[in-house]
Amino acid sequence: MSASVAVGRGPSIAHDRVLLGVAVFIASESVFFLAIVLAYLAYRDAGLATAKANLDIPRTAIFSIALFSSSATMALAARHGSRSWLVATIALGAVFLAGQGSEYARLLASGIGPGRELFGTTFFTLTGLHGVHVLGGLVALFALLAAHIRRRSALRPVAFEAVGLYWHFVDAVWVVVFSVVYLGTLL
Amino acid sequence: MTALPLWVRRPSGERVGWLRTVDHKEIGVLYIGMGVAFFAIGGLEALLLRAQLATPESRLVDPSTYDQAFTVHGVTMILLAVVPLLVGFANYLVPLMIGAPDVAYPRLNALSFWLSLVGGIVLYFSFLAGGAPDTGWFSYAPLAERSFAPGLGVDYYIVGLAVNGAGTIIGAINLTVTILLMRCPGMAISRVPLFVWMTLVTSILILGAYPALTAALVMLFVDRQLGGHFFDPAGGGQVVLWQHLFWFFGHPEVYIMVLPAMGMISEIIPVFSGKPIFGYRFVAGSSVAIAFLSFGVWAHHMFAVGLGDTENAIFAATSMLIAVPTGVKIFNWIATMVGGRIRLTTAMLFAVGFIAMFVIGGLSGVSLAVVPIDLAVTDSYYVVAHLHYVLFGGTMLGIFAGAYYWFPKMTGRLLDEGLGKLHFWATFAGFNLTFLPQHWLGAVGMPRRVFTYAASTGWGPLNLVSTIGAAILAVAMVIFAVNLVRSLRSGEVAGDDPWDGFTLEWATSSPPPAENFPTIPAVTGRRPLWDRKHPDQRDRA
Amino acid sequence: MQAYPPIVRPPAEAIGTLALIVGAIALLIFIGVEGALIYAVWRYRASRSSTEQPARFERNTRVEIAWTALPALVLALVFVLMLGAMAEIGGAGVEPGLRVRVVGHQWWWEFGYGAVTTANELHIPVETAVELDLTSTDVIHSFWVPELGGKSDMLPGTTNHLRLFARRAGVYEGQCSEFCGIEHAWMRIRVVAESQADFDRWLAAQGQSAAARGGDGERIFLANICVNCHTIRGTTAAGAAGPDLTHAGARATLGAGVLPNDVARMRAWIADPQQYKPGALMPRVPLSDPELDALAAYLVSLK
Ligand code: HEA
Ligand code: HEA
Ligand code: CUA
Ligand SMILES: [Cu+2]
């Protein structure tokens, strides 16, 4: 399998049904996140003080790096049709989610939940929706892994490309969310 | 008599498994069936509204029932009747028209349908669970917040619409990819039938608009179930945020509901005029212009909110601008008829009726885009009149035209023309009687969404006329139902090409075989079947 | 108070004129388009031209440009007219002669003239520019009296402004026009436009506290939960959840228009408001017949 895919020349979005479908889906999802991010920004000022006092930037930055590097491992997995890079991607995604989980636990323990001020409402909605998308991505990655184990040679390279495209999107959304929510408190 | 081909057997003789089918034609029929069923339900709800309003200070239904009825009527008609009907036609016709064996993702297609249906069922389940939503189809906050709507109705609204919307979004992805990648050889994008063009534009509108609704629904859900404050002024939230998000979806939604119908009549008018469509590029291009503009007009639903004169003026300008590409379509349709040989079949009658009625709704729409006029009549029956002229007078008449035109393809049988003409004229009379008077009612002060009105207002007589019109409309719909059932059982056999059509769906059998075409057709112009029938007079395009 | 300069028209008239012009333009377009449509269908119907072959023309860029540009020009004209009217109804720099605070409640209106608070019946002097400061305590409402001006939504947490102007004395009716819940239909507005002198007299009367009557009605009112929700200035009743009743007898209707105001109807309303306005936020208070009689008589006497 890995040999059959030429380096840097995957199926193209403009001609492949699956890739185009994922691309169109991502475009639509972007509008969804845009709406939520705009709502976050609309209420940013009201929640800024709470955000500054409670968000742990360095810690989240480390978990973010896990997610960002999972984009690289995903690219490698797609390029080589490689199972181990796939596993690495899943692991990094899971680390990110665990980080989010512990961040939530910490905030909830200090009394900040979705019902606590506008900050809680917007923060948990935005990061929660992103988290759900990461979870969805992980499910897709698992399915890909399972398919890869079951029928190693029959799997079309486009499956990697498609899941990868989605994973990069989830990653890109986090770039925006991290900037707006976390780095935004530094402004 | 052969068995009913449509719902019992496939052309191959095998039984249709409705629950498991992934054939685009059968899914199209499922969508259409869903739309018809919900149209009947939504229509019955409308009759309840009209019955209550027939006389002043009537006590036929209590206010809470009335509020649920208009909320569910609006949601049903828009999301569970009209959109599924249009998506159903698109599902059935697009692959046939572009010479493809199926849609891009047949299994996902089935998923879309079932999600859309389940969303509708969830919404209706609220009736059994203590009360339907009663906050209006656009469910403004803070009325829809838990403090003012403590029941579960709004929660069913949220979940129902989100699930239904997910189905619609997946369907739009499917149609977009199908149209972009599955056209048969020679079918350049500048040659696809206009119905396909408008389906493509509609799909893109869905992809851009529906996510805003989903986002708004999620926020409302957070507010209601997790104690959030998105739309809660006491917690610092802003109630207009909901309106911005909703109408960012809501306005494109109205074009989602009219463009495919415009696509239908763009197929029907040329065939029954015996001429190619006039100004193909302009009819197609104007759809793109409409789509583009329709993302920039949402605040015309919010002129009375107090956004400020400058904002209002900008949104008024963009709204008026939409009349320009829409007018281009109207003029091209009329120009298509000019010089033709017009066969006034029922399908053509409905298509002409579409133009005639849509112009009225469009003109009232433009008057609403004029801020001071809107401030006078917004939230009144004038708006109710406008929306029914475009949605019933436009979209529904277009769908009826499409039904008479494509029913023979889908079932192999013709609808009865005599009953069809009766259906048309009864609809025409009933429709205008119902909704024309509402313009006056709105102008003299009758707000919408009132379960009754004081006798002293003098609004009684016109409301009575409107109710009588609705009764006639109901008779018209029964005539249509009779026609459908009769034709399914014993309609005249249609043959493959009963109308002397132009496009590829008429080049295969009625109903088409599972793979649509025995051999993939090759196309050299915009009217492939015409070219085949008249090799000496081929289209140049 | 300063009168509206005669060059500026009442908002309702400005809107009316604009609607007339736009309506005329729309009518012309309607006649043109429907005329062309009917003519085309009639002239080119198959039964008439059965021998003719259909024409084959299918494009003409010049014609397309013409029917793109022409509507655009018409709309540009409408837009310019619209801007003029918008400036006019917004007040166009004219100072209002009277300012009234309007607060929407589910399902009644609170009107405030400085320190004077009243409900459901808005009094304004004629020939005076009146500016309403509109807000809401609960959901969104919308103020609309068609003969006096346009409408404006009333949002919780925000104040909007609306100009009214009445040329002639009289009673103008309107009602809430944003769906605000179960009794949205019975959230009616009565505007009484009167001469400046009458208005001043009315306002002075409204400013008075209710003189202590010491009768049964007053005693029953003050002894019941009525006081939790209603204010009668001059007594200990200072609730704010319902309409101010200091001059309840001076108003023409009860329950924001659902009943005319007289002793019998007042008694019926207090006995069971839910029968007349199901869902209204005033509960049925259990009272005996004599208590109801006394209460109704007392409230109607509060002129
Ligand atoms: C199919 C659905 C559909 C369509 C096509 C339209 C078309 C238009 N609508 Fe409508 N509209 C609705 C469905 C639709 N609408 C609904 C459902 C609501 C109410 C929602 C709710 O509150 O519940 C609504 C409400 C609504 C409002 C808000 C009213 C209010 O609540 O206060 C406004 C305001 O601008 C508006 C404007 C327009 C305009 C400018 C068009 C234009 O696109 C019309 C363009 C068409 C023409 C103008 C006719 C043809 C053109 C010519 C012949 C050319 C020459 C014409 C001129 C020069 C003018 N619409
Ligand atoms: C496509 C959309 C659509 C359609 C087709 C209709 C169709 C009709 N509508 Fe509706 N309407 C809306 C969309 C639509 N409506 C919307 C969006 C609102 C706003 C809601 C809100 O404010 O939230 C609204 C609101 C609305 C109101 C205002 C309510 C209010 O503000 O208080 C009224 C009142 O007259 C009304 C009437 C009607 C009538 C009489 C029909 C008729 O055309 C219906 C004709 C159909 C029938 C009469 C059905 C016939 C069926 C049978 C006879 C059964 C046969 C049985 C079987 C086959 C099993 N509608
Ligand atoms: Cu208040 Cu409607
Ligand atoms: Cu709109």
Side-chain angles (χ1 to χ4, degrees):
Chain A
M1 176 87 213
S2 51
S4 70
V5 186
V7 172
R9 217 169 29 88
S12 111
I13 290 183
H15 299 289
D16 185 274
R17 240 180 251 186
V18 175
L19 284 188
L20 183 61
V22 174
V24 170
F25 174 65
I26 287 173
S28 188
E29 286 274 88
S30 310
V31 178
F32 176 75
F33 274 109
L34 185 68
I36 311 268
V37 168
L38 286 177
Y40 187 92
L41 287 174
Y43 295 142
R44 176 177 173 272
D45 290 350
L48 200 55
T50 320
K52 281 188 168 150
N54 291 285
L55 291 181
D56 186 341
I57 300 179
R59 207 164 145 283
T60 309
I62 292 171
F63 286 110
S64 305
I65 288 170
L67 188 63
F68 297 149
S69 28
S70 78
S71 247
T73 56
M74 186 66 225
L76 289 168
R79 179 175 301 177
H80 304 296
S82 142
R83 193 182 298 173
S84 30
W85 284 123
L86 205 51
V87 172
T89 309
I90 293 175
L92 286 168
V95 166
F96 171 79
L97 271 192
Q100 283 293 87
S102 68
E103 172 88 336
Y104 275 24
R106 194 176 56 79
L107 286 172
L108 289 170
S110 58
I112 298 180
R116 169 77 185 281
E117 299 175 11
L118 274 168
F119 170 73
T121 304
T122 53
F123 172 84
F124 281 97
T125 305
L126 180 53
T127 57
L129 285 169
H130 177 262
V132 169
H133 281 74
V134 175
L135 201 62
L138 284 180
V139 170
L141 287 170
F142 266 116
L144 190 62
L145 185 64
H148 195 254
I149 292 170
R150 255 190 291 116
R151 25 170 208 167
R152 194 183 162 96
S153 55
L155 199 62
R156 291 174 57 214
V158 67
F160 274 95
E161 295 276 341
V163 176
L165 202 55
Y166 178 74
W167 191 253
H168 295 320
F169 166 70
V170 170
D171 214 11
V173 171
W174 185 251
V175 174
V176 175
V177 175
F178 184 69
S179 311
V180 167
V181 175
Y182 286 87
L183 300 182
T185 58
L186 301 175
L187 292 181
Chain B
M1 200 194 82
T2 51
L4 316 180
L6 180 61
W7 59 60
V8 178
R9 284 185 203 294
R10 298 188 167 133
S12 59
E14 169 200 8
R15 277 187 83 87
V16 176
W18 287 116
L19 291 175
R20 305 227 308 269
T21 181
V22 297
D23 179 289
H24 75 95
K25 298 180 288 301
E26 286 160 9
I27 291 172
V29 171
L30 281 173
Y31 264 118
I32 292 172
M34 167 181 171
V36 169
F38 277 112
F39 178 74
I41 297 172
L44 293 173
E45 286 153 2
L47 293 179
L48 186 72
L49 300 177
R50 285 308 334 157
Q52 163 69 12
L53 293 175
T55 52
E57 296 178 41
S58 158
R59 295 210 155 206
L60 185 69
V61 300
D62 60 80
S64 152
T65 308
Y66 185 90
D67 295 348
Q68 296 175 37
F70 74 70
T71 301
V72 179
H73 164 70
V75 177
T76 301
M77 285 301 197
I78 286 181
L79 294 169
L80 307 179
V82 165
V83 171
L85 282 167
L86 296 171
V87 172
F89 274 95
N91 242 292
Y92 199 102
L93 294 171
V94 162
L96 288 170
M97 285 180 160
I98 63 175
D102 205 321
V103 291
Y105 325 109
R107 282 201 292 178
L108 220 49
N109 202 19
L111 179 69
S112 315
F113 167 74
W114 291 107
L115 283 175
S116 296
L117 181 63
V118 167
I121 291 173
V122 167
L123 183 75
Y124 270 84
F125 201 77
S126 61
F127 279 107
L128 304 177
D134 56 1
T135 47
W137 85 277
F138 44 78
S139 228
Y140 273 1
L143 187 63
E145 292 273 20
R146 198 144 76 173
S147 35
F148 300 106
L152 284 176
V154 176
D155 301 298
Y156 279 95
Y157 168 95
I158 293 173
V159 177
L161 264 58
V163 173
N164 173 274
T168 306
I169 290 174
I170 297 174
I173 296 173
N174 207 342
L175 284 168
T176 307
V177 176
T178 304
I179 295 169
L180 290 180
L181 295 187
M182 302 204 35
R183 303 188 307 273
C184 67
M187 180 73 76
I189 196 77
S190 59
R191 281 180 185 157
V192 297
L194 285 166
F195 177 72
V196 176
W197 249 108
M198 302 212 194
T199 301
L200 177 62
V201 172
T202 302
S203 303
I204 292 168
L205 279 174
I206 289 175
L207 294 170
Y210 270 69
L213 174 65
T214 314
L217 292 171
V218 168
M219 294 181 202
L220 187 59
F221 187 82
V222 169
D223 274 14
R224 288 179 61 90
Q225 297 301 330
L226 305 175
H229 309 289
F230 279 111
F231 313 118
D232 158 32
Q238 287 166 19
V239 297
V240 279
L241 178 64
W242 168 269
Q243 303 189 15
H244 282 297
L245 290 170
F246 188 91
W247 291 118
F248 185 83
F249 148 79
H251 187 84
E253 172 72 2
V254 309
Y255 282 94
I256 289 165
M257 290 189 289
V258 84
L259 281 174
M262 291 177 158
M264 291 182 181
I265 72 162
S266 303
E267 299 301 323
I268 293 167
I269 289 173
V271 166
F272 291 112
S273 303
K275 274 180 67 201
I277 185 89
F278 187 85
Y280 174 97
R281 278 169 195 279
F282 285 86
V283 177
S286 59
S287 309
V288 179
I290 287 174
F292 189 72
L293 286 169
S294 72
F295 283 114
V297 305
W298 76 89
H300 68 207
H301 296 270
M302 302 164 62
F303 284 152
V305 166
L307 299 177
D309 276 358
T310 316
E311 290 82 347
N312 281 356
I314 291 170
F315 281 99
T318 52
S319 306
M320 289 180 194
L321 221 52
I322 287 204
V324 173
T326 313
V328 166
K329 285 190 160 49
I330 304 267
F331 300 134
N332 278 294
W333 290 324
I334 296 177
T336 304
M337 293 184 214
V338 169
R341 246 187 106 239
I342 297 175
R343 289 176 286 156
L344 269 182
T345 58
T346 307
M348 184 65 176
L349 265 181
F350 273 108
V352 172
F354 173 111
I355 301 179
M357 296 298 102
F358 182 80
V359 166
I360 302 178
L363 290 172
S364 67
V366 170
S367 74
L368 285 168
V370 180
V371 178
I373 299 179
D374 183 77
L375 293 179
V377 292
T378 181
D379 276 317
S380 78
Y381 263 82
Y382 189 87
V383 176
V384 176
H386 161 68
L387 75 90
H388 288 91
Y389 264 88
V390 279
L391 276 170
F392 198 103
T395 304
M396 283 312 299
L397 294 195
I399 288 174
F400 290 137
Y404 282 89
Y405 186 64
W406 282 296
F407 184 86
K409 179 51 60 183
M410 298 178 178
T411 66
R413 292 174 182 279
L414 290 163
L415 282 166
D416 186 78
E417 283 285 303
L419 278 179
K421 296 208 164 120
L422 198 61
H423 169 209
F424 173 79
W425 288 110
T427 305
F428 189 84
F431 167 74
N432 282 297
L433 216 52
T434 310
F435 296 112
L436 199 60
Q438 294 184 354
H439 291 103
W440 278 273
L441 284 171
V444 301
M446 180 164 171
R448 61 194 288 199
R449 300 171 162 184
V450 290
F451 71 92
T452 195
Y453 47 93
S456 62
T457 54
W459 301 333
L462 282 180
N463 269 296
L464 186 59
V465 172
S466 179
T467 301
I468 293 170
I472 297 174
L473 209 43
V475 172
M477 296 306 121
V478 172
I479 296 172
F480 182 54
V482 169
N483 200 353
L484 283 177
V485 173
R486 267 195 21 174
S487 303
L488 273 176
R489 299 173 133 192
S490 55
E492 196 186 322
V493 172
D496 293 354
D497 181 18
W499 312 118
D500 193 11
F502 295 162
T503 38
L504 283 181
E505 76 270 28
W506 306 109
T508 183
S509 57
S510 306
E515 70 282 10
N516 288 349
F517 301 93
T519 52
I520 302 273
V523 172
T524 56
R526 284 185 190 139
R527 296 189 299 165
L529 195 55
W530 165 277
D531 291 348
R532 206 179 290 178
K533 287 187 272 197
H534 307 270
D536 47 321
Q537 297 180 33
R538 286 167 162 276
D539 286 343
R540 286 146 303 171
Chain C
M1 288 176 195
Q2 169 203 346
Y4 222 72
I7 37 156
V8 181
R9 289 170 303 170
E13 280 177 30
I15 296 176
T17 313
L18 182 66
L20 220 58
I21 299 173
V22 173
I25 294 175
L27 190 67
L28 286 178
I29 296 174
F30 171 77
I31 292 171
V33 176
E34 305 283 354
L37 179 68
I38 293 168
Y39 175 77
V41 174
W42 173 80
R43 164 70 182 76
Y44 297 103
R45 68 194 188 281
S47 55
R48 184 169 183 278
S49 54
S50 54
T51 51
E52 292 170 36
Q53 275 291 317
R56 293 257 301 158
F57 61 84
E58 55 176 294
R59 73 178 123 236
N60 184 329
T61 308
R62 271 202 213 158
V63 170
E64 300 280 0
I65 291 172
W67 65 42
T68 307
L70 215 63
L73 286 177
V74 172
L75 290 167
L77 173 73
V78 172
F79 185 73
V80 171
L81 291 172
M82 177 191 93
L83 290 182
M86 280 173 78
E88 212 175 323
I89 62 177
V94 180
E95 275 301 307
L98 173 69
R99 206 171 257 286
V100 186
R101 186 180 73 255
V102 184
V103 184
H105 299 264
Q106 277 181 322
W107 296 279
W108 57 280
W109 306 89
E110 176 187 329
F111 298 116
Y113 301 74
V116 179
T117 300
T118 171
N120 291 343
E121 199 170 285
L122 175 68
H123 285 244
I124 57 171
V126 290
E127 294 289 335
T128 303
V130 180
E131 177 136 318
L132 306 182
D133 300 331
L134 306 150
T135 188
S136 162
T137 51
D138 37 48
V139 301
I140 305 176
H141 304 273
S142 191
F143 187 96
W144 187 30
V145 180
E147 287 170 88
L148 297 183
K151 59 173 79 62
S152 171
D153 288 353
M154 309 165 69
L155 300 103
T158 316
T159 300
N160 278 337
H161 305 279
L162 182 70
R163 287 288 173 111
L164 300 184
F165 187 101
R167 271 203 203 284
R168 268 168 286 105
V171 175
Y172 300 87
E173 300 211 348
Q175 80 189 73
C176 174
S177 54
E178 182 67 66
F179 181 64
C180 53
I182 190 164
E183 283 299 343
H184 162 65
W186 287 113
M187 190 164 163
R188 292 183 56 81
I189 311 163
R190 256 174 81 84
V191 179
V192 179
E194 52 204 355
S195 68
Q196 188 70 49
D198 285 350
F199 173 78
D200 290 342
R201 216 169 299 128
W202 174 84
L203 189 58
Q206 290 286 314
Q208 301 286 310
S209 293
R213 311 283 157 105
D216 277 352
E218 190 189 60
R219 195 178 44 70
I220 296 163
F221 188 90
L222 296 177
N224 275 287
I225 56 167
C226 318
V227 295
N228 295 346
C229 301
H230 293 286
T231 296
I232 297 182
R233 274 173 280 130
T235 73
T236 51
D244 185 303
L245 298 178
T246 312
H247 299 278
R251 300 200 274 268
T253 67
L254 294 172
V258 79
L259 287 174
N261 188 3
D262 56 37
V263 178
R265 252 67 76 96
M266 178 67 91
R267 185 186 188 286
W269 167 263
I270 300 167
D272 190 4
Q274 297 300 318
Q275 187 188 332
Y276 303 96
K277 212 168 162 177
L281 297 179
M282 168 159 158
R284 185 167 181 269
V285 181
L287 293 166
S288 70
D289 281 351
E291 283 176 323
L292 283 171
D293 292 336
L295 204 47
Y298 163 67
L299 287 172
V300 173
S301 77
L302 295 173
K303 297 279 179 184

